[in-house]
Amino acid sequence: MEQLTTSQVSSIDQQHIWHPYSSLTSPIPAYHVVSATGVRLKLADGRELIDGMSSWWSAIHGYNHPRLNIALKDQIDTMSHVMFGGIIHEPAAQLCKTLVDITPDGLEKVFLSDSGSVSVEVALKMAIQYWYSLGQPQKTRILSLRKGYHGDTFGAMSVCDPVTGMHHLFSSTLAQQLFTESPRCRFHDDWDESYIADIKNLLEKHSHELAAVILEPILQGTGGMHFYSPTYLKRVRELCDEHDVLLIVDEIATGFGRTGKLFGCEWADITPDILCIGKAMTGGYMTLAATLCTSKISDGICNGEAGVFMHGPTFMGNPLACSVANASIDLLLSTNWQARISDIEQQLKSGLAPAKDFDNVTDVRCLGAVGVIETKKPVDVAQIQKQFVAEGIWVRPFGTRVYVMPPYIISKSDLDTLMRGMLNVVQNHKN
Ligand SMILES: *Cc1c(COP(=O)(O)O)cnc(C)c1O
């Protein structure tokens, strides 16, 4: 195949290619990236951008990492893929054992899948099949939080925020779930029981038809970039137990250190019945996700009518993805990641603080390796993206949230450059 020129790439892109949440009738030109190393994305025109996004939470070790590269190359020469039905291999065994060891105590069983959304589908199916198996087929609804985000497939969409998830567009086909208010308590707020009054009330009224509560722990990501109190999480765990409703925790964004703990659940010292992980699991190299559950859930499902859990993706347990996940987790755990994240948090806090005084900013908040500037009005993404690129940084805001979650390996000076660029752009952005 002949190599495409930059203008050919761009023209094919505009004519044929859908990007996440994009229009094909008024497409916004996409930036052509030719390579990425460390925390830098290199554009076709030679410019280099400091990455503030970790490619949506995933590239925690930066790009083109020698250890991850070797893990993949070695695995390619051994076996790239083999079906998972009736077959097991070392990379999957290694990964699942590690996941059981590092996730909260009690999560013993692992279902591997291809993407975060699918791991959420699997979690919802586990919860529903569990109650069905226990002779409670009426427990099928899910209680979710406003401003939550759990993915783009149908089951996952049904538990996303109804407004930002555009439920009305799909209302005839989406499962009708229950929603409680987004947690009103901020991360450091003193606890007040009124914060859980709404979810408590819903659990009391609807426990007979509820299979599970689903939530993102500590940090509501794509739906709002809000950090909330660990006590909320702890109390929801207790309420679920009281009302015989399962708890599904979606750690697809928060997993693998992002909030300062290896998993967000650790802030509240809880074990969910079902846990979803993805994004950073392979260090951003391959798409891979997992749904973990306790033995209570797997026993319930497997002792029921079907006798098996009803799900099985073609690329389940892909050896390439498992190998690079093993290498990525090993790399993370072999470094002093907690100190690293804490340094990033301190630097984000002081570096972004000046934005609090900007006229067009309502809030600045940071936790772990996540920094958020909330603007008064939604930003014009196409326009602001251009300004970020002109500053030599890659930041992709949504709505009123201009946020960064850089690779953990980012240097102090690169993070300074990234934040200075953010402040410049936000301060001068007219929307
Ligand atoms: C990204 C994300 C998902 C969806 O994962 P995909 O890999 O994009 O399907 C689900 N839940 C949360 C919390 C996420 O951040």
Side-chain angles (χ1 to χ4, degrees), residues 3-44:
Q3 210 172 349
L4 299 174
T5 64
T6 301
S7 65
Q8 283 173 319
V9 169
S10 161
S11 130
I12 293 171
D13 186 37
Q14 306 246 340
Q15 284 177 58
H16 301 294
I17 304 183
W18 243 311
H19 288 263
Y21 292 90
S22 68
S23 163
L24 279 176
T25 51
S26 52
I28 296 166
Y31 292 92
H32 180 174
V33 171
V34 290
S35 65
T37 295
V39 297
R40 283 180 168 70
L41 309 179
K42 189 170 181 189
L43 300 183

Side-chain angles (χ1 to χ4, degrees), residues 20-21 60 67 69 92 122 129 160 191 196 248 251 289 304 322 367 388 391 415-416:
Y21 292 90
I60 53 176
R67 273 181 62 182
N69 289 4
V122 167
Q129 205 185 322
C160 288
W191 182 248
I196 45 147
I248 301 170
E251 295 244 19
C322 290
L367 184 74
F388 286 131
E391 292 278 344
L415 185 50
D416 270 333

Side-chain angles (χ1 to χ4, degrees), residues 115-117 149-151 216 250 252-253 279:
S115 74
S117 300
Y149 177 77
H150 299 286
E216 300 152 273
D250 176 350
I252 293 164
K279 289 201 163 110

